[in-house]
């Protein structure tokens, strides 16, 4: 939806803008020079491995940390720029934040915690009660209003934190893994409520999650982070199907990688001789920057695009299919996660639908739709 | 886009910064003045040679004299050994008891805590005399009873006129209770998960205490220990009574004697105090350094509070602590109350030793009511001023990033380092020597300021350590919700540290209503409190009504303690509500 | 002389509405006397501040050094007035304040040599010189039932004497100064060393060590205990120490630059008048066992207090602790004690 | 695998046994009378909505809470029985526990935290260093050993907590949502490490998670909890395909529910007239306890079992298929999550593979394999 704006220099519908922002904790460089734009009304998700700097980015955005260098604008107002000694404190920024560690105030009950942002804004007592009840209802904590903040289960605490973030409808809401301790049902529900709320109030959300499907389902755009910098920003599909870097590719969804050699090129597509023994046509994106025929390369494909069929007959064997064997079948609900052994002995994980009767030890054939195969340089680590 | 094109918030940010900085500079200037001035007068006095009232000259005579005083060495050694021993014992037991009260399901822990508070507030001179009556050599009641019960036992089994006797009386009258008093609120502010995870790792309760709880709480414990050490080294009232028969002199009794000499040798007292300060300063700095490095937040955003189950130890520990509280409070209290109904305290040999006339005399004094009102105003005023000031100073020194806030923290240690009898002189010089204070000189406000300053160390340090226990995210969540610094301070920080603030308020109240030295130096007619009546009786050799006034003061303090308990149950992370 | 009346009237008039800031030693006896003064001069607002002489001395000096002159008069035992305030020039000449002829007429007073504490000037007016003997012994524990002053050095009393440690001026020190005057300083030295006495700091505790603790002699005990006890029918074997004790003095002074001179004038004149002294004697007798009498010849002493009355014509024979001479005697004892402890 | 053992009274290979265990916090009944058996070498997962009593169960097992009533055995030793005043304190039970709130000790560095259980057990310094390094490596925190425990990101703290639980190899490991703040990759990795470890050391694990696929993939058995009691215990597949209660069914995976009327019964199967307008044969489990023909009922099916095809032709319409329309398509990585509108206007969520080109607004037909349809009583709430 807004994927083209990734590199654009702040247009007027950009609510948060970071330029060259860097953050250092003592000797730890938590965030390398980072650029980020968040548009009005958008949900942007930061996705990345643990410790990559997601929380740090959020804390910088709201002003709980001061950047080591760089500039941050909020609503076209410079809010943090160490070089020119500008810094606007968090309470002046009028954002909301849900903390990864909840930050429930232990001396207040649930109501007090949630009502707090409203009280600061001098809302009327009546209104506060109504609003709080509404939002507690929304997070499934109706009836918990008078429970002390410390006498809750983990998930309940997290919901209090979420309720507190949602209750006052800030222009920009920062949410740091807000649903990590909730069950799938509740999480789905809250996710859609969040989306509704966001649509209705037109607020922007900077969201952090480690859950890919959550990120993909919720976000207008996703920023994939790694080791303190942003690898790629884009709409979910764009990121999923057109990762620019190996890190982005590997982090979002799985990819089966096959070592091989570029046999030949024919216009947009190329023929790759896989080390596993098949010759495949690759018609997807080429990330090798036009490696020449004969050079080593890697062919990658999303597991769900691999066509897997029971190995019925030797005769059926085609040049572009691989023979493989199911090692283990792991039931994960609506499908199986299967480990299969490739001819070379390498192991790959794929999903199999539950409809068919799969057996451990069964022989299968894998074939790869050419347009789903992508070409990567050989340095990419094999899965 | 370039920065120049953006509207900048610089001016307002700078403006706010300056207001904050201004207030900060003001605060540090005021505190600095208040604590350094008295110290400065000491330095000046230390170079004034000659008896008070006579011609004085300037020189090093006092210094030479002080160093030539050959009682110093033994007094110093006594001071150190006595202080270390009782602090060591008090710390071991104090930490244990505080932990049991704060974090376990000990039955009646709330009341036991109040018991320790009361023990702390017992009037020290009468209680010491009660112990003398009970265990003062052969004539001590305990020894006599013991002899009656077991005729083969002769002599004094219990003797407070001894090295261990001094330690014992100190322990039960203050040193141990104060540890519990100061440590309990800090111990309450700890996420139970920290203990629980240790036990889940296979550590028993004792190991959990020694390897998790104590190390996490160490900055507070070190602070309390240092404070205790300093207090111990200053203590002289008990040594004054129990020391001479056993021929034990301590540093502070030396200071006391030169102060009370006629004419007093303030120069030498000053030298001795300054020596004391210079010895203490490195420890304070070390403590400061250690505290900064090792403070840990123990109250976070997932705080949980669950009491440790003492299991089978529950009742034995309960009875043990009950016994201790009994020995610390009820036993001397019974002796005192009985004593106050005796014609002559401790004289059981009279044909009819009992009388109510001391009570009648004390209670029918005309100035009793006014003194009571004065005591209450002084106590409440000091407590109120103290609570606000201590919280603000502690907050500034912990939670802001101002340059030199470490200095502020250090400054608050100074008043404690100077022995109380000496510093009231410094206060006097400050109040009369500074034109700003002239208008309030002679009013109750000087007394309030003096009492507050006398408590500034314990007040600021306790609240500070409590603040350090709060994870930054609790405040951050408030800022993120749009709360200003002040609002956050008021709604989040203060309620969370309130139990400590109340504790230091109570401490301030108690010292205010019991204060004597400061009152003598700064109090004037209309605002003289109850404690001065006690002095009146003591100086006319009438120990019994003096005890009665002491008991009245104790009653006020106990009421204050109960009120404090009532309120502190309402604040903080809320373990009290747990049962 | 003739115009004392107009000065007095002027003082009376000026004093109306004035605060009289009075420093008084914390002792119950003063209370009633001042109440009587208030009753007589209701227009003067009397602010009584109870402070020990030794505490207030330094305070007064410090205030005065800084230009704070808050106090009018000081009524207390007089040693601090004499040894601290007087040499520092912190007092006004009493002679400037005494107006009533009945006060200024020296013939109304016993032994005028002992009315002012110092040769340095008429600054501290003593209205009562009284004897203190704050020493007791237990006659039951003395062979023969009586003790003489010489027997204090008897080896049988070794370790049986409780002395309030004479490290500073208080009853114990003064008693020893008295003994020194009776005997000699060396006698006291022996008493402090060879007799290996038990030193206590607190007078009450010192007393109790004789009453309950098995000590034979107590030097520096609480004033009223022995008499109280005997009044109640106990302590029959307690006897006063065979020593002349010492002479203490209660007096009045006016502080430098007293802010309410008129009120101060009225007060000192009233106090030293016959009426004032009678009031003092009456009130004092209510709470104390010694010194309810006056140097005024026309004031009757309280009959129960005659024991503590000195021989007015022969005051030189006592250690007069509030006077210049007494100060020296006391310092000698303290020095002896400190020297002894150093060994 | 061990599903039959659910109700059995403690056999000798049962390491933890709870009988009638109840827990009350003041007025809150956190756990109703609960029976639970954990076998040696088994991974049992507690799965349930937030606040249902999972953490409480774990805390009772290790002895951090004392049961209000009931009995708990560990290794055939009675460890908690309030009625007979038996209680063994946590440190004597020798279990390991990973806390939901991490409970990292702030005064120790990462090494100190992880080494603690070993130090308590007086292991040699050398051995401790080795073991800690190994386990830190395993959780991806090699190189963090000397970082203070509090200067870590959320996920890093969680990993320290996991490492501390794993390091000393207790017989029974209790893990309370140990991976909730980790990204999918790390989580997969740790999950398989855990399984390996558990197989190698033969330890038992009582696991809490809110993540269904984690539960299904990891567990030997799953206990579905709801509102303080255990609804059903069983092997993953058993639970998924044969839920005994509506709650178990609804919590584990999704189910599409269709109101209908039992038209007729034919032996094991029944014909149901759906309110949506189709007549379906239901050959799956019957949870109505043999409701008679004509009574109201609900037909349920897992979304992944619904056959969805583009609606090509009116002619294709069969009696057992429903016409529907795709409302929204949500890309969640390897597939779409689609909201489809049924004829009655009701909305259902299903998954669609990414291979085909789906469009929002597209008409589709849904058909239901009879053996996948299950019959539920009419009271079951419609999705
Ligand atoms: N200290 C307490 N006092 C009162 N009630 C409590 C306390 N701790 C937990 N509860 C309540 O007990 C119930 C069970 O809590 P528990 O922590 O076991 O839930 P949980 O299943 O672990 O939930 P989550 O998935 O949210 O962590 C919850 O409703 C909770 O509110
Ligand atoms: N106070 C601190 N001092 C030093 N390093 C820190 C501090 N806080 C975080 N870090 C480090 O900074 C890096 C980024 O931390 P951050 O909290 O932003 O990670 P994150 O992406 O939110 O990770 P997670 O998903 O685990 O929460 C991490 O490597 C972390 O160890
Ligand atoms: Mg984070
Ligand atoms: Mg839980």
């Amino acid at each position: 939806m807004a994927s083209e704006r990734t590199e654009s220099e702040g247009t007027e519908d950009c609510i948060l803008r970071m330029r060259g922002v860097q953050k250092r904790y003592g000797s730890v460089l938590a965030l390398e020079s980072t650029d980020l734009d968040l548009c009005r009304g958008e949900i942007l998700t930061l996705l990345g491995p643990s410790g990559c700097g997601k929380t740090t980015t959020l804390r910088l955005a709201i002003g709980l940390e001061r950047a080591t260098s760089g500039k941050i604008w909020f609503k076209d107002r410079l809010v943090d720029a160490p070089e020119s000694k500008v810094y606007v404190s968090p309470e002046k920024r009028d954002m909301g934040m849900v903390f990864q560690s909840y930050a429930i105030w232990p001396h207040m009950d649930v109501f007090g915690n949630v009502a707090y942002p409203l009280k600061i804004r001098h809302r009327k007592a009546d209104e506060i009660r109504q609003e709080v009840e509404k939002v507690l209802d929304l997070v499934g904590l109706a009836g918990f209003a008078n429970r002390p903040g410390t006498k809750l289960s983990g998930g309940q605490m997290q919901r209090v934190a979420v309720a507190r973030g949602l209750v006052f409808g800030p222009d920009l809401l920062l949410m740091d893994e807000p649903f990590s301790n909730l069950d799938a049902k509740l999480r789905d529900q809250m996710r859609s409520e969040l989306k509704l709320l966001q649509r209705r109030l037109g607020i922007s959300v900077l969201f952090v999650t480690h859950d890919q499907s959550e990120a993909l389902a919720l976000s207008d755009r996703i920023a994939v982070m790694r080791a303190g910098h942003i690898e790629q920003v884009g709409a979910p599909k764009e990121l999923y199907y057109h990762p620019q870097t190996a890190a982005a590719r590997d982090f979002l969804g799985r990819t089966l990688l096959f070592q091989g050699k570029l046999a030949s090129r024919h216009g947009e597509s190329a023929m790759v001789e896989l080390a596993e023994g098949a010759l495949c046509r690759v018609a997807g994106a080429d990330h090798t920057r036009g490696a020449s025929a004969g050079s080593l390369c890697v062919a990658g494909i999303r597991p769900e695009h691999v066509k897997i069929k029971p190995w019925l007959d030797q005769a059926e064997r085609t040049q572009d299919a691989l023979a493989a064997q199911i090692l283990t079948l792991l039931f994960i609900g609506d499908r199986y996660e299967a480990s299969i052994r490739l001819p070379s002995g390498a192991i790959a994980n794929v999903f199999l639908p539950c409809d068919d009767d799969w057996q451990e030890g069964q022989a299968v054939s894998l074939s790869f739709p050419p347009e789903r195969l992508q070409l990567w340089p050989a340095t990419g680590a094999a899965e | 886009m370039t920065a120049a094109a953006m509207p900048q918030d610089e001016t307002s940010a700078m403006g706010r910064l300056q207001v904050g900085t201004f207030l900060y500079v003001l605060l540090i200037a005021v505190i600095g003045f208040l604590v350094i001035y008295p110290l400065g007068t000491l330095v000046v006095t230390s170079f004034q040679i000659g008896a008070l009232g006579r011609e004085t000259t300037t020189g090093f005579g006092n210094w030479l004299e002080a160093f030539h005083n050959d009682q110093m060495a033994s007094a110093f050694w006594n001071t150190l050994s006595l202080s270390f021993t009782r602090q060591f014992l008090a710390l071991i037991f104090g930490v244990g008891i505080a932990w049991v009260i704060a974090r376990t399901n000990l039955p009646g822990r709330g009341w036991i805590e109040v018991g320790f508070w009361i023990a702390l507030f017992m009037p020290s001179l009468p209680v010491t005399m009660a112990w003398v009556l009970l265990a003062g050599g052969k004539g001590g009641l305990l020894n006599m009873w013991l002899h009656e019960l077991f005729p083969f036992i002769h002599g004094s089994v219990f003797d407070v006129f001894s090295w261990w006797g001094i330690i014992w009386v100190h322990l039960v009258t203050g040193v141990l209770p104060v540890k519990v008093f100061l440590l309990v609120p800090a111990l309450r502010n700890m996420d139970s998960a920290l203990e629980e995870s240790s036990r889940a790792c296979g550590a028993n309760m004792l190991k959990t205490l020694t390897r998790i709880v104590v190390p996490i709480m160490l900055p507070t414990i070190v602070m309390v220990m240092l404070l205790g050490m300093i207090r111990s080294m200053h203590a002289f009232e008990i040594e004054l009574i129990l020391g001479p028969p056993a021929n034990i002199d301590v540093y502070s009794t030396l200071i006391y004697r030169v102060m009370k000499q006629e004419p007093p040798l303030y120069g030498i007292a000053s030298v001795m105090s300054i020596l004391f300060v210079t010895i203490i300063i490195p420890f304070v700095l070390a403590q400061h350094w250690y505290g900064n490095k090792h403070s840990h937040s123990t109250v976070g955003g997932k705080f949980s509070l669950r009491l440790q189950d003492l299991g089978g130890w529950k009742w034995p520990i309960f009875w043990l602590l009950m016994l201790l509280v009994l020995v610390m409070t009820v036993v001397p209290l019974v002796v005192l109350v009985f004593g106050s109904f005796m014609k002559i305290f401790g004289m059981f040999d009279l044909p009819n030793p009992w009388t109510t006339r001391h009570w009648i005399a004390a209670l029918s004094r005309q100035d009793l009511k006014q003194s009571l009102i004065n005591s209450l105003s002084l106590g409440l005023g000091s407590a109120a001023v103290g609570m606000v000031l201590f919280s603000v100073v502690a907050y500034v020194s912990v939670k802001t990033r101002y340059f030199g806030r470490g200095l502020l923290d250090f400054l608050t240690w100074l008043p404690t380092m100077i022995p109380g009898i000496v510093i009231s002189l410094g206060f006097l010089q400050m109040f009369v020597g500074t034109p700003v204070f002239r208008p309030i000189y002679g009013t109750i406000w000087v007394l309030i300021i003096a009492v507050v300053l006398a408590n500034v160390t314990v007040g600021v340090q306790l609240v500070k350590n409590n603040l350090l226990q709060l994870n930054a995210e609790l405040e951050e969540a408030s800022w993120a919700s749009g709360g200003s610094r002040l609002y956050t301070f008021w709604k989040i920080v203060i309620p969370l540290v309130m139990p400590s603030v109340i504790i230091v308020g109570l401490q301030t109240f108690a010292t205010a209503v019991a204060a004597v030295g400061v009152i003598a130096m700064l109090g004037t007619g209309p605002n003289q409190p109850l404690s001065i009546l006690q002095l009146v009786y003591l100086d006319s050799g009438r120990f019994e009504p003096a005890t009665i006034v002491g008991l009245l003061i104790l009653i006020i303090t106990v009421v204050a303690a109960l009120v404090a308990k009532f309120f502190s149950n309402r604040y903080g992370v809320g373990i009290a509500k747990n049962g | 002389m003739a115009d004392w009346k107009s000065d007095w009237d002027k003082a009376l008039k000026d004093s109306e509405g004035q605060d009289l800031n009075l420093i008084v030693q914390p002792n119950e006896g003063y209370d009633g006397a001042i109440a009587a003064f208030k009753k007589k001069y209701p227009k003067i607002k009397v602010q009584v501040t109870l402070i020990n002489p030794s505490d207030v001395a330094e305070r007064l000096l410090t205030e005065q050094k800084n230009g704070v002159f808050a106090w009018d008069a000081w009524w207390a035992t007089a040693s601090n007035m004499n040894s601290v305030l007087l040499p520092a020039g912190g007092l006004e000449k009493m002679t400037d304040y005494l107006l009533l002829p009945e006060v200024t007429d020296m013939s109304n007073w016993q032994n005028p040599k002992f009315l002012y504490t110092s040769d340095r000037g008429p600054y501290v007016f003593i209205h009562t010189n009284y004897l203190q003997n704050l020493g007791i012994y237990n006659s039951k524990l003395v062979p023969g039932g009586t003790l003489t002053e010489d027997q204090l050095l008897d080896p049988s009393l070794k370790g049986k004497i409780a002395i309030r440690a004479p490290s500073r001026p208080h009853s114990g020190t003064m008693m020893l100064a008295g003994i020194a005057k009776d005997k000699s300083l060396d006698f006291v030295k022996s008493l402090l060393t060879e007799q290996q006495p038990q030193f206590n700091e607190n007078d009450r505790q010192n007393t109790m060590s004789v009453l309950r603790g098995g000590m034979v002699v107590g030097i520096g005990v609480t004033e009223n205990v022995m008499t109280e006890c005997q009044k109640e029918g106990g302590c029959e074997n307690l006897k006063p120490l065979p020593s002349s004790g010492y002479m203490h003095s209660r007096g009045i002074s006016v502080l430098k630059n007293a802010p309410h001179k008129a009120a101060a004038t009225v007060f000192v004149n009233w106090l030293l008048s016959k009426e004032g002294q009678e009031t003092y004697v009456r009130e004092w007798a209510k709470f104390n066992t010694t010194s309810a009498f006056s140097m005024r010849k026309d004031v009757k002493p309280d009959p129960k207090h005659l024991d503590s009355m000195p021989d007015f014509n022969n005051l030189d024979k006592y250690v007069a602790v509030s006077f210049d001479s007494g100060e020296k005697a006391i310092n000698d004892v303290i020095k002896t004690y400190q020297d002894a402890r150093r060994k």
Side-chain angles (χ1 to χ4, degrees), chain B residues 340-352:
Chain B
S340 69
F341 281 106
M342 291 180 81
K343 283 175 179 155
I344 296 171
F345 181 84
M347 279 301 291
F348 298 96
D349 306 340
L350 295 180
N352 175 15

Side-chain angles (χ1 to χ4, degrees), chain B residues 37 48 52-54 68-71 125 129 132-133 139-141 144 161 240-247 249 256-257 260-264 266 343-352 357-358 361 365-367 425 428-429 432-433 438 441 519-526 528 532-533 535-545, chain C residues 25-28 31 35 47-63 65-68 70-71 79-80 82-89 120 165 167-169 174 198-205 208 211-213 222-226 228-235 287-288 327 330-331 334 337-338 341-342:
Chain B
Y37 196 113
Q48 288 174 347
L52 185 74
R54 313 271 154 79
H68 277 116
N69 187 339
D70 31 56
Q71 291 168 41
L125 177 70
M129 291 306 262
V132 169
L133 182 61
L141 291 176
M144 284 161 59
F161 296 119
L240 218 47
I241 292 180
L242 303 182
N247 238 324
D249 244 332
Y256 176 82
R257 293 213 177 91
K260 294 291 167 182
Q261 215 153 315
E262 276 176 38
Y266 291 120
K343 283 175 179 155
I344 296 171
F345 181 84
M347 279 301 291
F348 298 96
D349 306 340
L350 295 180
N352 175 15
R357 69 160 186 259
H358 300 306
R365 280 187 74 100
Q366 296 156 356
D367 49 0
L425 250 167
L428 175 70
Q429 299 208 4
V432 299
R438 287 284 171 76
Y441 185 66
I519 309 282
M521 274 300 165
L522 300 170
T524 46
Q528 286 197 303
I532 226 69
L533 291 188
L535 201 65
V536 169
Y537 284 123
L538 281 178
D539 275 19
S540 11
R542 304 199 51 200
F543 182 76
E544 297 80 8
Chain C
Q25 192 167 5
N27 186 311
E28 287 171 278
D31 246 19
Q47 307 280 10
V48 176
T49 301
L50 302 169
I51 318 185
N52 264 324
S54 56
D55 288 334
V56 81
E58 164 68 3
R59 177 172 172 181
L60 289 169
L61 284 188
T62 308
E63 289 177 356
K65 218 183 293 165
N66 288 286
V68 174
W71 309 99
S79 49
N80 273 277
N82 185 55
S83 62
V84 181
L85 261 280
L86 190 151
R120 287 165 288 190
S167 56
R168 53 192 186 89
M174 295 173 183
Q198 183 194 77
F199 288 112
N200 294 310
E201 183 71 33
N202 185 287
D203 54 342
R204 183 58 174 232
Q205 175 195 7
M208 292 310 280
L211 259 58
R212 300 186 44 87
T222 314
E223 248 183 276
N224 301 338
V225 169
M226 187 181 79
E228 289 271 311
C229 185
Q230 287 174 345
K231 206 170 71 193
E232 298 297 339
C235 306
F287 299 98
N288 300 280
E327 195 185 333
I330 285 172
N331 286 340
I334 293 177
Y337 170 68
Q338 280 169 347
R341 292 208 34 151
R342 255 167 234 192

